[in-house]
Amino acid sequence: LILESSSSLGSCKFRGESYVCQGLSINHPSHHTIEGVQADGEVTAIFRKPTGELMCMSTLFRINSAQTPSYGFFKQFVPYAVTTGETKLQMKDWSISALVPPEASYYVYEGSTLVPPCAPCEWVVFKSMINMDQGDFAYLVRNAEAGSRPVQGLGDRDVFFNDTNNVPGGPMPHDN
């Protein structure tokens, strides 16, 4: 399931560089595993710097009906998932920050985008998961093909872990 917009889906700064979100991809099951655990699904935001470099920010999700910012995000568009064509809809009161877990420690590695031509990109994968309602997940599975390839081995990649809970002075505040 792909969410694209003619206007900005949001922006972020990473390592002092500005990025603009180009689109979101929702897959089930997850592309990544965290400590060997594959999640029910994964939402990936694809960002681009003005110079063209790509970054994919990914958050795994689990089925859980707890009311969280991510729960409201999924509720706005998953019910419109269709197997063919496209559906236009208006997102209300939404921010890309809904995809950032409250405990925002993350992994970083160099990889490639999810779909051909598989362009080089930097990946940021959050360690903690966010929630999707069971009904929304059932609808997603029923109406959108599983889009994840088998989990790939690390190969010779270096994966770095950024533990925001152990940063001197505490974690940075979320600035949306």
Side-chain angles (χ1 to χ4, degrees), residues 103-149:
E103 197 281 286
S105 295
Y106 59 92
Y107 299 91
V108 177
Y109 71 94
E110 294 294 326
S112 60
T113 56
L114 298 170
V115 295
C118 300
C121 73
E122 184 164 37
W123 278 89
V124 174
V125 180
F126 289 104
K127 180 180 179 185
S128 295
M129 295 185 197
I130 57 176
N131 300 334
M132 179 187 272
D133 177 72
Q134 183 174 359
D136 287 343
F137 185 72
Y139 189 88
L140 178 68
V141 169
R142 198 170 44 248
N143 292 291
E145 289 182 37
S148 298
R149 66 180 185 188

Side-chain angles (χ1 to χ4, degrees), residues 3-10 20-23 86 88-90:
L3 178 65
E4 295 177 324
S5 174
S6 56
S7 61
S8 174
L9 288 171
V20 175
C21 185
Q22 306 290 297
E86 71 181 43
K88 295 192 185 288
L89 58 113
Q90 182 70 36

